[in-house]
């Protein structure tokens, strides 16, 4: 299970680096800071999953959750959202080192 969490953390970190690289290239080209929201990035990659997630969240979970939390999250920069997801997954899958040390019996 730890392996899967670490792998998912690596994938999220790679997505964050890709999103950050795209934002930095667009910022240099526009001569101003450009940060792509996660909703725009998701819309570019897979628009059908975004609309299905929005409709299922507003139907199965309370509509206020959709209006407050989900819409706020969709306005955040894509690289920051992926970095937070990568950090959380890594923290869940982290293995604590043994207390006694490396070479104990």
């Amino acid at each position: 299970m730890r392996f899967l969490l670490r792998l998912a953390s690596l994938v999220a970190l790679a997505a964050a680096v890709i999103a950050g690289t795209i934002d930095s290239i667009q910022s240099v080209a526009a001569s101003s800071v450009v940060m792509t929201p996660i909703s725009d990035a998701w819309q570019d990659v897979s628009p059908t999953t975004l609309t299905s997630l929005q409709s299922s969240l507003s139907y199965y979970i309370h509509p206020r959750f959709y209006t407050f939390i989900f819409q706020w999250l969709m306005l955040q920069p894509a690289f920051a959202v992926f970095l937070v997801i990568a950090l959380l997954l890594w923290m869940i899958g982290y293995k604590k080192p043994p207390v006694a040390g490396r070479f104990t019996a």
Side-chain angles (χ1 to χ4, degrees):
M1 191 65 185
R2 285 186 180 147
F3 172 74
L4 293 176
L5 288 169
R6 289 179 186 176
L7 183 65
S9 174
L10 178 68
V11 170
L13 183 63
V17 168
I18 291 170
T21 304
I22 290 171
D23 285 349
S24 64
I25 290 171
Q26 289 176 347
S27 295
V28 168
S31 296
S32 65
V33 178
V34 174
M35 287 192 268
T36 307
I38 190 75
S39 62
D40 291 348
W42 198 341
Q43 185 72 27
D44 292 341
V45 173
S46 179
T48 57
T49 58
L50 179 61
T51 56
S52 66
L53 179 68
Q54 288 173 344
S55 64
S56 56
L57 274 179
S58 63
Y59 181 74
Y60 290 112
I61 302 175
H62 204 276
R64 287 187 183 172
F65 175 78
Y66 171 73
T67 56
F68 292 130
I69 305 297
F70 190 72
Q71 285 184 352
W72 176 81
L73 182 69
M74 289 293 123
L75 293 176
Q76 302 308 311
F79 74 92
V81 173
F82 283 124
L83 279 177
V84 168
I85 291 171
L87 177 64
L88 290 174
L89 289 173
W90 178 80
M91 286 172 35
I92 293 169
Y94 182 72
K95 182 179 179 182
K96 295 178 185 175
V99 177
R102 183 175 173 184
F103 298 107
T104 57

